[in-house]
Amino acid sequence: MPCSSNHHHHNIVLCLFLLSFLSVTNSQSWPDFFFASITNETPKLDVLARCYLNGQDYRGGESSIEPGDARAYQGDIVPGKNNTISCDVKLGNNHGFFRMFDLNDTSICHTPNTSDCHWYVQEDGLCWLVEDICVMFEWEPIVRHNNIISSDEHIMWKRSTP
């Protein structure tokens, strides 16, 4: 039985509708994001890290990163926000507060929508890998007064033992 022109016309309209629906759903994109990772390259010590996205605690607190392990931190770009990842990092007696990503600071990771912002904890500090070159960010000096850590230092943690 030959197709009537009216039936053929309905198929074309249905096809065009489905194609337009598919193009709308395919054009929706993920939100812009920013990313940084920390890898512990030291042979024996765990790294303690407490990270912040736009100044807010990242997922509720500190994390312990064992030698050879890594942690990734990611947030959605929010217009009007700083769009930053900053971390308090401690390795043994060494400590530092490091800005890992800042959308507005070209001296560190600042490119959105990429997972290419990698930091490596070493005994001398944190190494930011840029085109296979290590840019070293050193630990902050620890100032002690009569064995009391001064109040102007960043957060210090005691490792709990099981």
Side-chain angles (χ1 to χ4, degrees):
M1 175 173 159
C3 288
S4 70
S5 65
N6 195 21
H7 180 71
H8 185 63
H9 177 71
H10 286 290
N11 285 343
I12 291 174
V13 169
L14 180 61
C15 243
L16 290 173
F17 172 76
L18 290 175
L19 285 174
S20 67
F21 177 76
L22 287 174
S23 67
V24 167
T25 58
N26 285 340
S27 69
Q28 294 174 347
S29 62
W30 294 100
D32 290 335
F33 69 93
F34 55 105
F35 169 92
S37 71
I38 301 173
T39 300
N40 181 355
E41 287 193 330
T42 65
K44 296 179 182 176
L45 296 174
D46 285 6
V47 169
L48 293 177
R50 170 169 259 149
C51 294
Y52 307 89
L53 266 65
N54 297 322
Q56 301 295 316
D57 243 353
Y58 185 82
R59 298 196 178 160
E62 71 187 37
S63 59
S64 179
I65 307 170
E66 295 178 1
D69 281 351
R71 294 287 181 280
Y73 305 91
Q74 181 174 316
D76 292 336
I77 298 287
V78 178
K81 293 277 186 177
N82 292 337
N83 298 298
T84 60
I85 299 172
S86 302
C87 297
D88 273 310
V89 180
K90 184 176 183 217
L91 175 69
N93 291 326
N94 295 315
H95 175 265
F97 184 79
F98 301 93
R99 184 159 286 205
M100 309 273 190
F101 181 96
D102 188 330
L103 191 61
N104 300 312
D105 185 351
T106 58
S107 68
I108 58 169
C109 295
H110 61 278
T111 305
N113 303 324
T114 180
S115 299
D116 289 336
C117 180
H118 302 287
W119 293 80
Y120 299 89
V121 178
Q122 299 175 352
E123 293 182 9
D124 294 338
L126 268 65
C127 166
W128 172 39
L129 201 60
V130 182
E131 296 180 11
D132 297 326
I133 297 171
C134 173
V135 178
M136 185 61 72
F137 290 74
E138 295 180 355
W139 299 109
E140 295 174 3
I142 294 179
V143 179
R144 295 183 180 266
H145 301 282
N146 298 328
N147 292 329
I148 298 172
I149 298 173
S150 67
S151 61
D152 61 346
E153 285 189 53
H154 293 283
I155 300 168
M156 301 296 284
W157 298 281
K158 293 179 182 171
R159 183 172 177 191
S160 59
T161 54

